[in-house]
Amino acid sequence: DTKNNNRHTMFADNENNHDERFLPPPANNNNDDNKKYNIPPTLNISWFMATTLCIWFLFIHAPFVLIAQQKIDPLLYIHLFGAYSIYLTCVHNTLLTPSTKFGCGEKGTTARPFHIWIGRVGLILGVIGFITGFILTWFVLEPLNDLGFSIGISFGGIMQMILQYNGYRAIKHFQNIKAQIEASDYNNQEELFALQEEQDQHLSHHILCMINLFVFACGVPALIRVMAPIKGGLGWLPIFIGVFYVIAHYMSKPLVQKIKTKRDRERGVVVVTEESELRS
C-alpha cells in the first residue's frame, strides 16, 4: 500500500509539474497576425494600372512637352501645381486609406492623419488647378485650334469638380452620423442599425467618388494624350472608357467589401469570404 501510495503521489507530481520545455506554447491567435506586415487591400493591379498612367503623364510625357515650348504662360505653372497635387493625392489616398496601418499587426501606425490632411490640401489645390486650366483653355490659348481637345479637357475638369464636391459631401455626412452614433442619439437598436447603414452608404459613396476622381477625372487629360498619336484615336474612346470602368470597379471593390465585412462582424453575423469558401 505504501508503495502504491508513493507511486500515485509520484504520478500526480509528474502531472502537475511537467517540464515546460516539452509543453506546447500557449495558444495566442494574435501572435501570427502581429508578425504579419500589413499589406493594404488597395495595393492591387487596378491601382498599379491607374498609377502607371499617372506617372507616365506627370513625369515622362508632360516634362518633354514643357521643354519643347519656347514660351510658357505663368498661369500654366499654377495650373500644373494644382493638377499635379490632386493627381498625386489620388495616388496616395486610394492606396493608404484611414484604416491602413504601417508595420505589423494591430500595433502598426495608422495612415489616417496622412489620408485626411493630404486629402484636404489636394482638394483645395485641385480647385485651383481646374480654375486656372479652364481660363488657360478658353481665354488664354486658342481653343478653336483643337476644339476636340478643349472640350475633352474641360469635360474632365468639370467631372473632377463634381466628384470632388460629392466625395467631400459624402464624407461630411458620414462624420455627422458617426458623431450622432457616438453621442447615443438614437432611441432603439433598429434606429441604430439604420444609422449605421446610412453611415456605411455615405462612406462607400465617398470611396467611389474619390476612386472615379483618380481613374476618370484625373485620367482624362492623360487619356487624351495617349489617344492623340493613335490614328482614329476617338474611335478607341469607348474601349478606353470601358477599361477605366473596370479599373475603378476593382479598385473600389475590396474597400466597399471591407466596410460590409466589418459591420457584419460587429453585429455577430457569420462572414463568408472567398478564402473561407475555398478552405471549406
Side-chain angles (χ1 to χ4, degrees):
D1 291 340
T2 303
K3 290 181 179 179
N4 289 335
N5 289 335
N6 290 336
R7 183 179 299 173
H8 287 309
T9 302
M10 179 181 66
F11 287 144
D13 289 341
N14 287 337
E15 290 176 359
N16 295 326
N17 298 289
H18 290 294
D19 191 335
E20 293 183 356
R21 293 174 297 173
F22 302 102
L23 290 176
N28 187 353
N29 295 331
N30 295 325
N31 264 354
D32 292 339
D33 293 337
N34 289 332
K35 292 179 181 178
K36 291 180 181 178
Y37 192 83
N38 293 301
I39 299 177
T42 48
L43 188 62
N44 51 38
I45 187 63
S46 297
W47 181 86
F48 272 112
M49 291 175 68
T51 301
T52 299
L53 179 62
C54 170
I55 299 302
W56 170 82
F57 178 52
L58 297 184
F59 300 106
I60 298 176
H61 173 79
F64 283 103
V65 173
L66 292 172
I67 292 172
Q69 292 186 8
Q70 296 179 349
K71 183 180 179 181
I72 298 177
D73 192 290
L75 191 61
L76 180 60
Y77 290 109
I78 301 175
H79 166 70
L80 290 176
F81 181 66
Y84 271 63
S85 297
I86 186 61
Y87 210 166
L88 293 176
T89 293
C90 289
V91 171
H92 177 274
N93 277 17
T94 53
L95 176 65
L96 301 179
T97 63
S99 60
T100 304
K101 291 183 179 293
F102 303 106
C104 299
E106 294 299 322
K107 296 181 180 180
T109 303
T110 179
R112 180 181 176 82
F114 302 99
H115 181 96
I116 292 173
W117 284 105
I118 290 176
R120 288 173 179 174
V121 174
L123 289 178
I124 294 171
L125 294 177
V127 174
I128 295 174
F130 166 73
I131 294 173
T132 53
F134 190 85
I135 294 172
L136 283 167
T137 301
W138 295 101
F139 299 101
V140 177
L141 304 176
E142 295 293 335
L144 297 180
N145 288 345
D146 192 347
L147 187 60
F149 172 82
S150 300
I151 294 173
I153 207 77
S154 299
F155 172 76
I158 293 170
M159 185 187 297
Q160 173 194 337
M161 289 297 96
I162 293 172
L163 290 169
Q164 280 192 206
Y165 171 76
N166 287 337
Y168 177 78
R169 186 167 173 265
I171 202 62
K172 295 306 292 184
H173 282 310
F174 165 83
Q175 291 169 349
N176 291 337
I177 296 174
K178 181 181 178 182
Q180 183 179 351
I181 293 174
E182 290 176 348
S184 299
D185 187 11
Y186 51 86
N187 297 319
N188 50 53
Q189 191 177 50
E190 290 183 1
E191 189 173 335
L192 170 62
F193 281 5
L195 286 172
Q196 290 175 339
E197 292 293 336
E198 187 178 355
Q199 183 185 24
D200 293 345
Q201 288 174 6
H202 287 307
L203 183 57
S204 298
H205 185 57
H206 169 77
I207 290 170
L208 292 173
C209 285
M210 295 299 103
I211 286 178
N212 281 298
L213 170 65
F214 178 27
V215 176
F216 281 100
C218 292
V220 163
L223 178 61
I224 292 175
R225 269 67 172 200
V226 170
M227 294 171 56
I230 300 176
K231 187 176 181 180
L234 290 177
W236 291 88
L237 184 60
I239 297 176
F240 279 110
I241 291 176
V243 172
F244 276 19
Y245 175 81
V246 172
I247 291 173
H249 171 74
Y250 282 101
M251 195 183 299
S252 62
K253 184 178 179 180
L255 294 173
V256 174
Q257 183 60 42
K258 185 178 179 180
I259 295 170
K260 184 179 184 304
T261 301
K262 181 181 177 182
R263 185 67 68 194
D264 287 343
R265 283 175 176 164
E266 287 177 356
R267 297 177 179 178
V269 179
V270 177
V271 179
V272 180
T273 61
E274 294 180 2
E275 184 178 354
S276 63
E277 286 182 343
L278 290 173
R279 287 179 179 176
S280 61

